[in-house]
Each structure stands twice: as structure tokens, then as C-alpha cells.
Amino acid sequence: MASDSYSSDDETLLSQALPTTKVPNNFDPSVPPASAEEYLQHVVWEARQCQDVVTVDVDRQKLKKPGTLVKKEVKVTAPHGYAPSPETQQELLTSFSNLRTHIANLRSSKQIPPSPVRFPSLKNREEWCKLCFGNSFQLALLKQANSDAAQPPLVEGQQPLLSIVLNIKQRGLRNLLEWHAQWLEVLGFSEAQGCWFYALLACLEKPLTPESCSQIRHIARICAKLRSSLESSDHPHLPHLNVIICIVARYFNQEDLADG
């Protein structure tokens, strides 16, 4: 094999990949190569211009700046006797999957019933809160604040009927999931909200967007924290919280959040 003018020391570190002739003494690097051989001569010439050792000045002050720490979420384990059995989880998933199949059939057949209520704007969180909960959210806030103001009579919200949730577009479903998570953090859990979570998850299409995946994981974590704070395994909220955690973890494949 013909060799170029690399030194023997170079050859002990870098093996030659292609055979080339020596770079001629009258080689002009400004002239474009006209053949494959001349191209390789250009490559050899350029390689010779590189220093054997290159150093760089490092700003030590920048290295001392603390980086951003990402705190890993710790799974909240259910207290003893609070988590559903594997058999119960399977029953929940079968029922939920059957509902999803029914919804898919309604969508494909274009037989979605009209909504019995008029929807607010997709950006109007307050009006959607009234639609879902009536004025119970407002009353709960007044009670939480120990307000002495006269409280208005209770107005019930809408149940999450299929005729309602099937007429909400996917973007609206994602907005509602985000808002429900915020309402859940402010006032805690209610059975009415559990029904809305179940219905919204049933209508949420797969594959999930990264935002939707993050949102339902957040909801499941909140539910797990609320579950762990319940006074006993006989609490009426426990079955509803277990359903949401099970669906998010098992049906939507967020297995790290699943109960054992």
C-alpha cells in the first residue's frame, strides 16, 4: 500500500483508511480538486494543518454555577388495605374498556346525540366550572374562607352524560382535565368530580399527547396523596380514587403509578 508523508509515530495512533499518493511539493490548496486522487490529497493536506494537541481555556466561574435540579416524583404508596386487589383492578379495566368501545362505535357511526346544554367558550374556565359543579365550587370556597356572607342556595352542576362529553372536542377535554386537576388541588375530592374524571378519561383519545400524559399522571398522583390521607378504608371516596388511579396507571400504561 502506498503511503503518504505521515510520520511513523502518527501511523501507530491512526491507521490509514485509504491509499493515497504523496502530496506533491507544488500542491496548491486553493485549486479545487479535479479527480478523486486530488481530493484525497486535499484531505491529507488539511489534516496536516491540524494541531496534534488542542487546548481550550475554561471559564472556571461558569463551572461553579449550580445547575437546575429536577426533583423526582416519589410514588405515594397506598396504606394497607386501601389499594384494590388485582381482581378488582381487572374488573375496573374491563368495564372501562367496554365503555371506550361503546364510545368508539358511537363516534364511527356518527350517532352522537346532541348536547342538552350549551357549552361555554373553551377558554372560559369559570363558566365550565359552573357547568360541571353548579355553584358548589363557589360555596366550598366561601366555607373554606369562613366567610360570613350570605350563601346563595345550592345549584347542582351537570352530570357528565355521554351526550355532553362526546360533543366536547379533544382540545376541550384536555382543558377540562387541566382545570379539574386545579380544582382538585384547591378543594379536594368529591364524588361529582370523580364522575367527571371518569367520563373525561373515557373520551380521551389514544395515543396521548405529551401534555395529556403529564396531566393525567398529575391527577393520579393527587388522587394517591388524597387516598393516603383518608382516615379509614371505609371512606366513601376511596373506591372513586382507586378507579382513577387504576385507569391512569393500567389502561393508559403509566405502570410506575400502579398499585401492586
Side-chain angles (χ1 to χ4, degrees):
M1 178 182 294
S3 62
D4 57 24
S5 58
Y6 279 121
S7 70
S8 60
D9 291 339
D10 292 334
E11 290 176 351
T12 61
L13 297 176
L14 300 174
S15 59
Q16 186 172 347
L18 294 171
T20 62
T21 58
K22 292 183 179 181
V23 178
N25 294 330
N26 61 347
F27 176 75
D28 185 357
S30 64
V31 178
S35 66
E37 183 176 13
E38 290 182 4
Y39 171 78
L40 290 174
Q41 289 173 355
H42 272 262
V43 173
V44 172
W45 181 86
E46 290 176 358
R48 290 176 182 170
Q49 311 313 307
C50 297
Q51 299 178 23
D52 293 335
V53 178
V54 179
T55 61
V56 63
D57 293 329
V58 178
D59 187 345
R60 300 290 178 181
Q61 295 300 319
K62 291 183 178 179
L63 295 178
K64 294 180 180 179
K65 293 182 179 179
T68 302
L69 297 178
V70 179
K71 195 172 182 179
K72 183 179 179 181
E73 290 284 349
V74 179
K75 176 183 175 182
V76 179
T77 304
H80 179 69
Y82 280 43
S85 66
E87 294 77 17
T88 300
Q89 291 185 56
Q90 187 56 52
E91 292 174 1
L92 293 174
L93 292 174
T94 299
S95 177
F96 184 73
S97 181
N98 290 339
L99 175 59
R100 297 261 306 186
T101 300
H102 177 60
I103 289 173
N105 291 337
L106 288 175
R107 283 172 170 163
S108 61
S109 64
K110 308 295 184 181
Q111 294 181 354
I112 298 176
S115 173
V117 296
R118 185 175 180 179
F119 293 149
S121 163
L122 285 178
K123 298 181 180 179
N124 196 330
R125 176 169 48 183
E126 182 178 348
E127 289 302 315
W128 275 103
C129 184
K130 290 179 181 178
L131 187 147
C132 296
F133 302 120
N135 68 346
S136 60
F137 194 84
Q138 176 190 4
L139 294 176
L141 284 175
L142 290 173
K143 182 179 179 181
Q144 194 177 70
N146 295 320
S147 174
D148 295 330
Q151 296 190 1
L154 175 65
V155 177
E156 297 287 347
Q158 288 287 337
Q159 294 184 353
L161 306 174
L162 281 181
S163 57
I164 292 179
V165 292
L166 281 177
N167 283 286
I168 303 175
K169 297 186 182 300
Q170 290 297 304
R171 178 186 171 192
L173 294 176
R174 292 193 291 269
N175 285 354
L176 279 174
L177 280 170
E178 179 182 354
W179 295 338
H180 272 274
Q182 295 170 358
W183 300 330
L184 179 63
E185 289 186 286
V186 172
L187 291 179
F189 186 80
S190 68
E191 293 184 17
Q193 191 172 44
C195 293
W196 270 97
F197 275 132
Y198 189 87
L200 294 173
L201 291 172
C203 294
L204 190 63
E205 293 180 353
K206 283 185 170 184
L208 298 177
T209 65
E211 293 78 12
S212 296
C213 183
S214 175
Q215 195 61 60
I216 66 172
R217 286 179 61 84
H218 180 57
I219 291 168
R221 288 194 184 102
I222 299 174
C223 290
K225 290 179 182 178
L226 292 173
R227 179 178 64 179
S228 66
S229 68
L230 298 179
E231 296 177 356
S232 75
S233 59
D234 296 325
H235 197 287
H237 288 174
L238 181 60
H240 303 276
L241 293 170
N242 280 338
V243 168
I244 298 169
I245 297 169
C246 177
I247 289 172
V248 172
R250 301 294 189 187
Y251 189 86
F252 289 99
N253 303 317
Q254 307 303 308
E255 296 291 341
D256 59 306
L257 303 177
D259 293 313

